[in-house]
Amino acid sequence: MSERHEHWIDLRSDTVTQPSAAMRAAMAAAPVGDDVYADDPTVNRLQDYAAELFGFEAGLFAPSGTQTNLIALLGHCGRGDEYLVGQEAHTYKYEGGGAAVLGSIQPQPIANQADGSILLSDIAAYIKPDDMHFARTRLLALENTIGGRVLPQDYVLAATKLAHDKGLATHLDGARVCNAAVKNGISLRAQVAGFDTVSVCLSKGLGAPVGSVLLGPKAFIEQGKRWRKMLGGGMRQAGVIAAAAQYALENNVERLAEDHQNAADLSSGLAQIEQLSVTAPQTNIFYVEIPEASVAALREHLARHGIRASIGAHTRLVTHLDVSRDDVQKTIAAFKDFFK
């Protein structure tokens, strides 16, 4: 049976954040309509605001990043087409194979490099010739951040230029693209330069309870509304959750730097434990190698100290707005107490 604690330090993911009092107040006060009829004013405001913020013509609010990514793939590719994607990317590995299952779109997975990028030479080599034997290569899909790593900006610009020069469209799974922009110290518009469409998750580090927004050309987004409806994402009085997403975009982007600092402090503290091998985070995510024999006992030890983490031999730890500097120190102390 799990331990009871007034406050859990939850390091499993940045998806576990709780809406703040101010965010809840915004949700309670939101004017709403029927978004399938496009007359929910709060949803419309969010879509317009996000599009302007990231430098696109239009936006589309959907329940999840899995759905916004899938809408983008369905919009860029038809039956029998393919998209180029990294082996580690969410759209290929962690989203249920939706493009293949629901869109008859073939993924062409390519090895990710240590920094999360895909070699430009590999991208070029995997583009299929115009021949009836091959699926038609239509799209390059990148992810930023990927496993907490920020793709080098010069690489992103080179990769998207290569794709466009070869006649491909470009899509960014930008679930944590705001983390990348804050890490790079550049604007959100600059961070997504080179992409035809971008999916931005609002329920991770930004702290909204639910939702993602797909950004792109107006005609593409209009087509995306049909796919969203078909996929079951046509919501009604969705302004209640769109208000939380609006609050997140207006208030919680720059503060991601605090999460990055907390991750850096936590990783450096854990790195002092000789039994552990710890990566240095670029943003709010890092990994810890834990001796297999210690995994089960460590998991129980942390739970007794009010710490939730997906403890395994290869453990991912994630900081977010509900993890404080004090929580970081308590976590380091709990790990050191176990391994002393």
Side-chain angles (χ1 to χ4, degrees), residues 12-315:
R12 294 172 297 174
S13 177
D14 47 11
T15 61
V16 302
T17 57
Q18 297 284 313
S20 64
M23 183 179 283
R24 289 176 187 270
M27 295 169 73
V32 298
D34 189 321
D35 185 44
V36 174
Y37 289 110
D39 65 7
D40 187 303
T42 308
V43 173
N44 292 341
R45 177 182 174 225
L46 169 67
Q47 292 173 161
D48 292 344
Y49 179 84
E52 175 66 22
L53 188 64
F54 285 87
F56 288 88
E57 287 183 351
L60 183 64
F61 186 51
S64 71
T66 297
Q67 189 167 108
T68 47
N69 278 329
L70 181 54
I71 291 168
L73 294 174
L74 291 167
H76 286 298
C77 302
R79 184 177 177 87
D81 291 344
E82 77 167 8
Y83 71 108
L84 308 182
V85 61
Q87 286 271 12
E88 300 175 31
H90 273 73
T91 56
Y92 170 65
K93 189 175 181 180
Y94 298 106
E95 295 182 355
V101 174
L102 301 176
S104 296
I105 302 165
Q106 171 174 288
Q108 172 59 73
I110 308 173
N112 288 98
Q113 300 303 301
D115 65 356
S117 67
I118 305 169
L119 289 178
L120 298 181
S121 57
D122 284 347
I123 293 172
Y126 278 105
I127 297 173
K128 309 296 186 292
D130 184 8
D131 183 304
M132 71 175 71
H133 294 88
F134 302 110
R136 296 171 296 249
T137 311
R138 296 295 196 206
L139 176 71
L140 172 66
L142 297 179
E143 182 174 338
N144 200 13
T145 64
I146 179 165
R149 296 161 297 184
V150 179
L151 296 181
Q153 193 63 3
D154 56 352
Y155 163 79
V156 171
L157 295 175
T160 52
K161 182 181 186 302
L162 169 63
H164 288 147
D165 288 347
K166 298 291 188 178
L168 308 186
T170 55
H171 172 68
L172 175 65
D173 176 2
R176 296 182 176 90
V177 70
C178 295
N179 292 86
V182 168
K183 171 65 175 176
N184 284 333
I186 61 177
S187 70
L188 295 172
R189 286 187 173 209
Q191 187 61 62
V192 300
F195 291 99
D196 299 306
T197 55
V198 176
S199 167
V200 181
C201 193
L202 305 163
S203 63
K204 292 189 169 72
L206 297 182
V210 63
S212 289
V213 63
L214 176 64
L215 306 169
K218 186 176 176 64
F220 189 95
I221 295 300
E222 285 300 313
Q223 179 190 7
K225 291 178 181 178
R226 174 177 287 273
W227 287 120
R228 184 184 67 174
K229 179 66 175 172
M230 195 183 302
L231 296 170
M235 299 180 285
R236 300 300 178 174
Q237 287 72 42
V240 174
I241 53 175
Q246 182 79 34
Y247 183 93
L249 280 176
E250 290 179 349
N251 295 278
N252 290 346
V253 175
E254 292 305 321
R255 64 144 306 281
L256 291 170
E258 299 171 24
D259 301 341
H260 299 173
Q261 186 59 55
N262 282 336
D265 292 344
L266 180 56
S267 70
S268 63
L270 297 183
Q272 296 170 10
I273 301 170
E274 64 179 353
Q275 294 94 328
L276 304 179
S277 176
V278 185
T279 64
Q282 295 180 32
T283 54
N284 66 320
I285 298 172
F286 66 95
Y287 297 86
V288 184
E289 304 302 323
I290 297 171
E292 188 73 56
S294 301
V295 166
L298 176 60
R299 188 183 300 122
E300 294 176 9
H301 174 82
L302 294 176
R304 287 195 296 272
H305 286 77
I307 300 167
R308 285 190 175 121
S310 301
I311 298 298
H314 180 66
T315 294

